[in-house]
Amino acid sequence: MNVDVDAILDTLKDGKTAKTKASLDKLHETLSAYFDSGARDFSITTIGRVSEEDGGVGYQSIRATANKHYRDLVEAWAAKAKTTTKKPPVGPPKRMSQDHQLLERIDDAAVRALFGQIIRERDRYRSEANMLKNQTQMVIDKRPTTYSEPQSDASVELLPSLKGICSDNEIKALHTVCTDEWLEKLGFQANKLGQVKDEFGMEILPRGFLTGLKKILREIDE
């Protein structure tokens, strides 16, 4: 686009004071030299610094609300340079990705828009997956969900108290059976294994009977 900056300058000077016209001419001269140098940073910050160094209006004067004519002149020169008054990005421009290069080859606008949406969705899911990989620590709980009691070869059976089952007379009778006097009266003999035999050596009560009975009675007495 061919921009006639001289014509724009004349329009901006129309109705202005002599001092403002002189400032516009000086800024116009500075912008012309800046343009010819090949520079393309026409941001207000940069032009304000360059203009002030050249003896013209500075950044504060150009950006002042009442001095729109200065900014209009800078914008005219920026348009002539095919740029804007925004600060250009620092560093080399980003290369177009391969996906977007492929999109540019699709002539049908509807198909191009559809594939563009698919690519954006893919990139979003990929970004979320990478975020989860970097920020989430996964803990796998290998503990059993149900508790099972450990198996043991020996089983323990709890017996109810005899005090709630036997009467006092019955408990007294059991004590009597365990006494040597009662056994001798019947002609029986008991050995250390808890076995009871008659006078002929015949087994009356098996091994462990008396010893087991005495243990039970001790539990009752405690």
Side-chain angles (χ1 to χ4, degrees):
M1 180 177 62
N2 187 17
V3 179
D4 190 349
V5 291
D6 293 328
I8 294 175
L9 173 63
D10 292 338
T11 302
L12 294 174
K13 289 167 62 178
D14 188 27
K16 299 296 188 296
T17 64
K19 182 179 179 181
T20 301
K21 290 179 180 180
S23 296
L24 282 169
D25 287 335
K26 180 59 180 176
L27 179 59
H28 184 69
E29 179 184 339
T30 301
L31 288 168
S32 178
Y34 185 76
F35 176 85
D36 292 339
S37 69
R40 291 299 179 264
D41 182 1
F42 281 84
S43 63
I44 301 300
T45 303
T46 300
I47 296 303
R49 176 180 54 79
V50 173
S51 175
E52 188 172 11
E53 291 175 354
D54 197 30
V57 292
Y59 168 73
Q60 295 296 337
S61 297
I62 296 176
R63 69 181 294 272
T65 304
N67 295 335
K68 185 176 181 298
H69 43 274
Y70 294 139
R71 295 193 299 277
D72 288 343
L73 183 59
V74 175
E75 289 177 359
W77 277 100
K80 183 177 179 64
K82 298 181 180 180
T83 184
T84 65
T85 56
K86 293 182 179 180
K87 193 74 175 177
V90 179
K94 293 184 179 179
R95 292 183 57 188
M96 185 180 295
S97 66
Q98 185 177 4
D99 292 333
H100 288 83
Q101 289 178 2
L102 293 175
L103 286 177
E104 292 296 325
R105 298 180 183 179
I106 301 176
D107 296 330
D108 192 310
V111 176
R112 184 168 59 250
L114 176 61
F115 274 91
Q117 183 178 358
I118 294 174
I119 291 174
R120 286 191 297 272
E121 288 292 321
R122 182 207 61 189
D123 293 342
R124 181 171 66 86
Y125 289 134
R126 181 181 294 171
S127 176
E128 292 176 355
N130 291 333
M131 181 180 64
L132 290 174
K133 289 179 182 179
N134 295 331
Q135 298 183 2
T136 302
Q137 181 181 4
M138 300 182 67
V139 179
I140 300 176
D141 190 353
K142 294 184 177 181
R143 293 176 296 180
T145 56
T146 58
Y147 173 76
S148 58
E149 294 184 359
Q151 299 295 326
S152 176
D153 295 336
S155 60
V156 178
E157 183 178 358
L158 299 178
L159 297 176
S161 174
L162 291 179
K163 288 184 178 180
I165 299 176
C166 301
S167 65
D168 292 340
N169 289 333
E170 289 171 338
I171 295 174
K172 185 177 180 180
L174 292 174
H175 274 290
T176 303
V177 172
C178 296
T179 61
D180 293 336
E181 292 81 2
W182 186 82
L183 292 174
E184 290 177 358
K185 184 177 180 180
L186 296 176
F188 297 155
Q189 291 182 348
N191 56 29
K192 295 181 179 180
L193 299 178
Q195 184 183 35
V196 177
K197 295 182 180 181
D198 62 9
E199 56 183 341
F200 301 106
M202 296 293 293
E203 183 181 75
I204 303 301
L205 297 173
R207 291 181 181 182
F209 180 84
L210 285 183
T211 53
L213 182 58
K214 289 178 181 180
K215 290 179 181 179
I216 294 174
L217 293 173
R218 279 199 298 269
E219 291 293 329
I220 296 175
D221 294 337
E222 290 181 355

